């Protein structure tokens, strides 16, 4: 069953621009984190959002083209799979039809109280597919 994609609009701010006049690589990672968390908050039930936190374990990013101040940028997030307490995402960052970056990332779900890894209920996971 196909995953439900999540479009996350990104505002490129002056703070994102580096010494070469384009978006700093660190900003892409910040955007991916914001986009993945937004995806979780949009599709998961409020109770699950309140009970769980997400931390990034790994980001593998391929930069295709630079982004610049005031570009209209969209991150499209897709949950590829959930395995135990881990979730695997693909995020594509675009300016119009141009792919700026492709990111594969893995995340760990934590219990919000104990901060220990937590498995999600199947009913929660099914909302993403």
């Amino acid at each position: 069953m196909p995953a439900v994609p999540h479009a996350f609009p990104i505002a490129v701010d002056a703070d994102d621009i580096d010494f070469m006049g384009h978006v700093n690589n660190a900003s892409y990672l910040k955007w991916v984190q914001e986009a993945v968390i937004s995806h979780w908050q949009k599709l998961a039930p409020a109770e699950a959002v309140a009970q769980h936190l997400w931390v990034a374990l790994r980001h593998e990013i391929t930069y295709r083209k630079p982004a610049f101040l005031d570009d209209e940028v969209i991150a499209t997030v897709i949950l590829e799979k959930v395995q135990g307490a881990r979730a695997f995402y693909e995020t594509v960052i675009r300016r119009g039809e141009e792919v700026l970056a492709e990111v594969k990332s893995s995340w760990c779900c934590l219990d919000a109280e104990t901060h220990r890894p937590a498995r999600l209920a199947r009913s929660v996971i099914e909302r993403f597919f």
Side-chain angles (χ1 to χ4, degrees), residues 4-5 18 25-27 30 42-43 45 63 66 72 95 99 104 107 114 117-120 123-124 129:
V4 177
D18 66 13
N25 291 357
S27 291
K30 174 185 74 169
K42 180 180 179 189
L43 294 179
Y63 298 98
E72 290 187 26
R95 175 184 50 231
V99 174
K104 296 274 191 180
W107 297 74
T114 66
R119 291 175 181 255
L120 294 171
S123 61
V124 172
F129 294 96

Side-chain angles (χ1 to χ4, degrees), residues 10 13 21 23 43 45 47 57 66 71 80 82 85 87 93 96 101 111 129:
I10 296 168
D13 298 320
V23 172
L43 294 179
E47 182 178 293
L57 299 175
D71 278 354
E80 294 181 314
V82 176
I93 300 172
D111 179 281
F129 294 96

Side-chain angles (χ1 to χ4, degrees), residues 3-109:
V4 177
H6 176 62
F8 181 76
I10 296 168
V12 180
D13 298 320
D15 291 346
D16 293 316
I17 305 304
D18 66 13
F19 66 95
M20 295 189 335
H22 54 66
V23 172
N24 185 294
N25 291 357
S27 291
Y28 287 87
L29 296 177
K30 174 185 74 169
W31 295 343
V32 169
Q33 179 146 336
E34 292 169 352
V36 166
I37 298 302
S38 172
H39 184 239
W40 164 248
Q41 292 171 340
K42 180 180 179 189
L43 294 179
E47 182 178 293
V49 171
Q51 293 173 350
H52 299 94
L53 304 171
W54 289 95
V55 294
L57 299 175
R58 178 182 171 100
H59 293 295
E60 183 179 314
I61 188 163
T62 303
Y63 298 98
R64 302 284 181 202
K65 295 184 177 199
F68 302 96
L69 187 62
D70 298 326
D71 278 354
E72 290 187 26
V73 177
I74 301 265
T76 302
V77 177
I78 294 178
L79 177 61
E80 294 181 314
K81 69 179 178 176
V82 176
Q83 190 172 26
R86 292 181 70 186
F88 299 85
Y89 278 90
E90 179 177 18
T91 304
V92 178
I93 300 172
R94 290 184 173 89
R95 175 184 50 231
E97 295 299 313
E98 291 181 292
V99 174
L100 304 178
E102 298 165 302
V103 185
K104 296 274 191 180
S105 56
S106 62
W107 297 74
C108 184
C109 181

